[in-house]
């Protein structure tokens, strides 16, 4: 790279640093936030668990409620159970499978109510610094849970508690509630090309 290009590059990096530094200076609030990870693409739960493991790394206590998951444990949950996180993780799974497997609205509704009771307990606990409500969006989409009640419980949580919500087709109320919204797009998926779901990659 010639000297002129180097100087231009350095000048751009200096301007970028100034913008980043100014943004950091403005961001002085310290509070828990709501993170919504939605969209049709693969990786919503994986992303949420990545943040959960990060919190555990900092010694935080975390709570997890998984809605509409299968009865087979995922790799993330197996790792939590075997990795000694134990007392730092308060875990509950609806574990009735997906609605297209059960095909029983009443049974799913009852299971959702039980799971939500666990979520409300976590959302009231000031010692829990991170709550992951995995696939919560389906609970609202299929009217298993009341949207206003869910939003109110999240709003009323302890001030320093962060909540992560995942799932497709997030309702506008969740988007409005969230401080951070990430949407994962579905460009390609190996499953549609006939590749079987793999332990350690897909679950």
């Amino acid at each position: 790279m010639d000297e002129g290009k180097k100087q231009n590059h350095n000048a751009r990096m200096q301007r970028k640093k100034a913008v980043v530094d100014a943004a950091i200076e403005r961001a002085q609030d310290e509070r828990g936030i709501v993170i919504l990870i939605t969209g049709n693409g693969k990786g919503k739960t994986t992303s949420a668990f990545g943040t959960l493991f990060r919190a555990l790394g900092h010694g935080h206590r975390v709570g997890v409620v998984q809605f509409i998951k299968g009865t087979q444990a995922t790799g993330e949950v197996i790792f939590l159970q075997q990795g000694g996180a134990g007392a730092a993780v308060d875990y509950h799974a609806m574990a009735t499978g997906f609605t297209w497997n059960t095909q029983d609205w009443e049974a799913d509704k009852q299971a959702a109510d039980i799971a939500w009771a666990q979520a409300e307990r976590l959302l009231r606990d000031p010692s829990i610094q991170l709550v992951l409500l995995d696939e919560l969006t389906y609970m609202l989409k299929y009217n298993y849970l009341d949207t206003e009640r869910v939003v109110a419980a999240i709003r009323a949580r302890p001030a320093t508690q962060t909540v992560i919500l995942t799932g497709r087709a997030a309702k506008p109320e969740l988007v409005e509630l969230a401080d951070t919204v990430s949407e994962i797009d579905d460009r390609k998926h190996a499953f549609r090309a006939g590749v079987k779901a793999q332990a350690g990659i897909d679950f």
Side-chain angles (χ1 to χ4, degrees):
M1 182 181 294
D2 63 38
E3 192 60 32
K5 288 183 177 179
K6 287 181 182 179
Q7 291 178 354
N8 287 339
H9 172 79
N10 291 341
R12 286 197 305 272
M13 292 303 101
Q14 287 174 357
R15 290 194 296 271
K16 184 176 182 65
K17 182 178 185 303
V19 171
V20 172
D21 288 346
I24 293 173
E25 182 64 27
R26 288 193 302 271
Q28 295 300 316
D29 289 352
E30 293 188 27
R31 61 176 175 83
I33 62 173
V34 177
I35 301 170
L36 172 62
I37 307 171
T38 190
N40 294 330
K42 170 181 167 56
K44 295 178 289 296
T45 295
T46 305
S47 174
F49 267 96
T51 303
L52 180 143
F53 288 126
R54 175 180 289 168
L56 289 173
H58 285 282
H60 295 176
R61 290 191 64 222
V62 303
V64 182
V65 180
Q66 288 195 290
F67 296 95
I68 314 187
K69 286 294 185 184
T71 54
Q72 180 184 32
T74 62
E76 299 97 330
V77 174
I78 293 171
F79 183 81
L80 286 176
Q81 293 170 339
Q82 296 178 348
V89 181
D90 193 325
Y91 177 81
H92 182 81
M94 191 165 146
T96 55
F98 295 92
T99 54
W100 50 87
N101 289 331
T102 61
Q103 299 176 16
D104 186 338
W105 190 91
E106 291 293 340
D108 286 341
K109 167 64 175 167
Q110 184 177 14
D113 286 339
I114 293 171
W116 178 246
Q118 295 295 326
E120 286 187 314
R121 176 179 60 79
L122 295 171
L123 291 167
R124 291 192 299 265
D125 188 343
S127 73
I128 300 289
Q129 288 142 308
L130 174 68
V131 176
L132 168 55
L133 302 179
D134 188 38
E135 309 287 14
L136 176 72
T137 61
Y138 290 102
M139 300 296 96
L140 308 184
K141 178 179 180 180
Y142 297 128
N143 296 314
Y144 298 142
L145 298 176
D146 178 72
T147 300
E148 290 186 6
R149 178 179 175 182
V150 168
V151 169
I154 296 172
R155 287 192 187 281
R157 74 193 189 281
T160 58
Q161 187 182 85
T162 287
V163 179
I164 304 178
L165 315 173
T166 73
R168 299 184 181 197
K171 284 199 168 186
E173 292 91 337
L174 293 185
V175 175
E176 181 180 355
L177 172 68
D179 298 284
T180 298
V181 179
S182 295
E183 187 165 354
I184 298 181
D185 197 8
D186 180 18
R187 299 287 184 87
K188 295 175 70 175
H189 200 299
F191 181 74
R192 291 198 295 273
V195 180
K196 184 177 180 179
Q198 305 173 62
I201 303 299
D202 298 291
F203 60 89

